[in-house]
Every structure is written in structure tokens, then in C-alpha cells.
Amino acid sequence: MEAESSSTHRSPSLSQTSLPFARYSYEDYEETARWLLDHTDQRPDVAIICGSGLGSLADVLSNKTVFAYKDIPRFPLSTVPGHAGQLVFGKLQGRECVCMQGRFHFYESSNINMVTYPMRVFFLLGVKTVIVTNAAGGLNDSYNTGDIMIIKDHINMPGFAGVNSLCGQNDQRFGVRFPCMSDAYDKDLRALVKQTAKELGFNSGLHEGVYCMVAGPHYETIAECKALQMLGADVVGMSTVPEVVVARHCGIRVLGLSLVTNMVVKDYDSEHKVNHEEVLRTTELRTQDLQKLVSSLTSRI
Ligand code: HPA
């Protein structure tokens, strides 16, 4: 094991330094969880991961305790504009929650275990359900910018290329070597979203579909978009899957929601160029609705 840097308590005690699988030890996760438990009396059983531009979800929590990632021992730092980089404990509709205002993407560090670090900490905190939100590009021709998609399944493109968040030695304290992934997105939670959305009058522009993760950070080529659509993906994004795989590995229930922030370009004659500003603009327009949906359903989980 590498010696810990004396300059910061954040540096992971990586037991294997080669990317993309530089690993943390069980004791690293425990240390972070213990520090958090020592610094707040709140004991969340729901975790919410806010995607690009969706961090304001955390603003509606009451009785908040906020920790900047940089102050939490061993916690990674997020580097993407639109990600605040803080962990917010609080109540949402009376439910104890912990909210990640800013997540980690594989393209930020090329370390898949850094991306999933918070999920294992959540497991040690006693979290039973995670709600993962993300910004995604619409591949399905019947979708529109601003639509919301309940994730019913995913395609793990980096996983196909050998970058899976469960690669490396398995730690049985988190879960089994070969976990099932055909039930990754909880059926009851998906039904609950549909019911809640109906009650809130959000029926148009709500879909259920397949999320495909690509590593990023560039947006997809036209040929890639066509290929992903042929594979059965409805939206494409650069996040979510590593966290979901690790959540399921340790038995946490998952609900995934994608906000279609842009339609991808699939036509060689199109002048449209997907860009991050467009993604953030759409999240700004739709964040209130997503907030309402997540708040209402959190009280019913
Ligand atoms: N592609 C990949 N990731 C994304 C997109 C996209 O079009 N939009 C938002 N995140």
C-alpha cells in the first residue's frame, strides 16, 4: 500500500496505483463513513446523486448539514462546471437523505473506483435506496429536449471495453463476486415514479427506457449515435452506470432518472453541435420539475 501524502488527508491509500483500477481499501471507505457519522447526527437511508446542473435538488432539503468534498477525508473532488462539490445531509419531505451535489465522472480521473467511492461510503452509512439523476442526450426519435426518462436498464459501454467498476479483487464485505444486473433498476420504484408523475400532472414527456454510458468526455460522433440507437439505447450519457453497478453489488435499491438535455446529432446534414452550455440551459429549465418529482416520491419510498 502506498504511503498517504502528508499534505492532505484526502489522498486515497491506493493499494494498486495503475489506472483505471487504482483501488481503495475497505478501511478507506470506513474512515470516510466514520468521519461523516462523527460530524452529523443524521442517518440517511436515501441517497440522491445530482447530475450536471441538477444540484439544486439539494437546496430543497431542510435541516441541512453541508460538507464540501474537499473537507471530507479521502473523498474525491468534482471538476465539472455545474457540479458544486458538496455532500448535503437533510430532510426531504420528512425523509432523511444525503445528497451529492456534484458527482464524479470516469473522464475526470480515469479511475473507476474514484467514481464509485461515495456509493460504498453510502452503503456503510446505512443507505438503502439511491436515486441517481443525470443529463443525457436523446437517441430515441420520439423523445424531445426537456423530457424525463425513467431508466429501466442500461448498456455499460466502458464495461464492454473492460472498464467495469467491479473489476479487481472482490471484497465480500460489499457484495458477491458475480452479482445479478438484470434487476438493476427497481420495478416498484419505477412504478412509483409513474404514479407520482401522474399525480403531479407530468405525463407528457415522461418515458421509460435504456441509458447507455459512454466514457466521454467528447460528445458522440454521428456514427456512434446511430450504432448506440441500433443497440437499443434511448439516451446516452457519461455517468450513472459505474455507481449503479456498485450500488447493486452492495444491495442498494436504485432509481435512475435521465433528463434529456439535448437531442444527439444523427444526420450528416445537421448544423447542430451538442455542447455543455446547451445541456446546462435545459437542466436550468427543467430542474424545478425534476425537484418536485424527486421530493414527492422520496416521501413514498
Ligand atoms: N452525450 C453524452 N452525454 C451527454 C449528452 C450527450 O449528448 N448530453 C448530456 N450528457
Side-chain angles (χ1 to χ4, degrees), residues 135-138 214 218-220 236-238 259 261-264 274 279:
V214 291
H218 64 72
Y219 293 107
E220 298 68 42
V236 56
M238 304 174 195
L259 174 62
T261 52
N262 57 281
M263 292 304 290
V264 303
V274 177
V279 168

Side-chain angles (χ1 to χ4, degrees), residues 130-132 150 185-186 189-190 193 253-257 297:
V130 64
I131 301 173
V132 187
I150 306 164
Y185 298 87
D186 191 272
L189 292 177
R190 285 191 274 136
V193 179
R253 284 200 308 171
V254 173
L255 169 65
L257 296 172
L297 66 90

Side-chain angles (χ1 to χ4, degrees), residues 139-151:
L139 295 161
N140 187 315
D141 296 317
S142 71
Y143 290 11
N144 290 299
T145 297
D147 287 355
I148 292 171
M149 190 192 83
I150 306 164
I151 306 178

Side-chain angles (χ1 to χ4, degrees), residues 171-190:
D171 191 328
Q172 291 282 347
R173 289 171 286 189
F174 290 117
V176 297
R177 172 75 286 188
F178 301 110
C180 176
M181 216 42 71
S182 58
D183 60 349
Y185 298 87
D186 191 272
K187 244 189 196 152
D188 294 339
L189 292 177
R190 285 191 274 136

